[in-house]
Amino acid sequence: MDPEKLMKEARMAAENAYAPYSKFRVGAAVALSDGSVVRGVNVENRSFGLSNCAERSALFTAITSGRTDFEAIAIAGPDAWEPLPPCGACRQVISEFCKSETPIYYDDGKGGFISSSVEELYPANSLMDLSTQ
Ligand code: THU
């Protein structure tokens, strides 16, 4: 899928973010092998530690429908003033389901995006790449 298009999906998703505490809306979009897209948003809670990131929401939503054929992930934060790569917890979750070479596109905080990959953001995971088993 065209990275620009996937980033646009993520940006649109962010409109549905539930972020009353941080006021930091994040949207994510995962592209599946048939070209379909599943969106996710960050969902916060008054007990802050329970907040769920947008990319995990998108992955979990797809998995709920039995889909794990992830081809790419995009993360957008319309309120971001700096690059928005996935947090450590999300990198771990992403590594459970995505191949090392799976592209990850994330907001650069300036209206564009940065192209990365699971391998780049979570190095050494290829040693135990569950997604290829
Ligand atoms: N957040 C995401 O949803 N994805 C990221 O990649 C970084 C952070 C959310 C979590 C929290 O709701 C808010 O952004 C502020 O950290």
Side-chain angles (χ1 to χ4, degrees):
M1 155 150 316
D2 173 35
E4 299 266 0
K5 204 174 151 202
L6 197 60
M7 279 302 291
K8 202 171 165 196
E9 289 272 354
R11 203 164 286 280
M12 286 193 288
E15 288 170 23
N16 292 332
Y18 179 75
Y21 305 104
S22 71
K23 312 248 187 275
F24 191 76
R25 297 169 299 157
V26 185
V30 294
L32 305 178
S33 58
D34 61 0
S36 60
V37 172
V38 176
R39 295 179 181 182
V41 297
N42 56 331
V43 182
E44 298 184 345
N45 191 272
R46 65 182 70 126
S47 175
F48 297 159
L50 299 179
S51 299
N52 204 67
C53 293
E55 50 273 54
R56 262 180 293 153
S57 295
L59 290 169
F60 293 166
T61 299
I63 294 161
T64 301
S65 298
R67 303 295 298 265
T68 55
D69 49 329
F70 305 120
E71 298 236 310
I73 301 174
I75 306 156
D79 310 315
W81 63 93
E82 60 182 14
L84 187 62
C87 76
C90 285
R91 293 179 200 202
Q92 168 70 18
V93 171
I94 289 167
S95 77
E96 179 90 16
F97 297 101
C98 298
K99 295 186 171 65
S100 304
E101 62 271 21
T102 302
I104 299 180
Y105 311 114
Y106 58 90
D107 213 310
D108 67 1
K110 297 183 287 192
F113 64 91
I114 293 164
S115 290
S116 188
S117 67
V118 174
E119 171 61 19
E120 194 172 34
L121 294 176
Y122 209 64
N125 188 61
S126 54
L127 296 174
M128 38 174 268
D129 201 338
L130 297 171
S131 63
T132 59
Q133 285 172 13

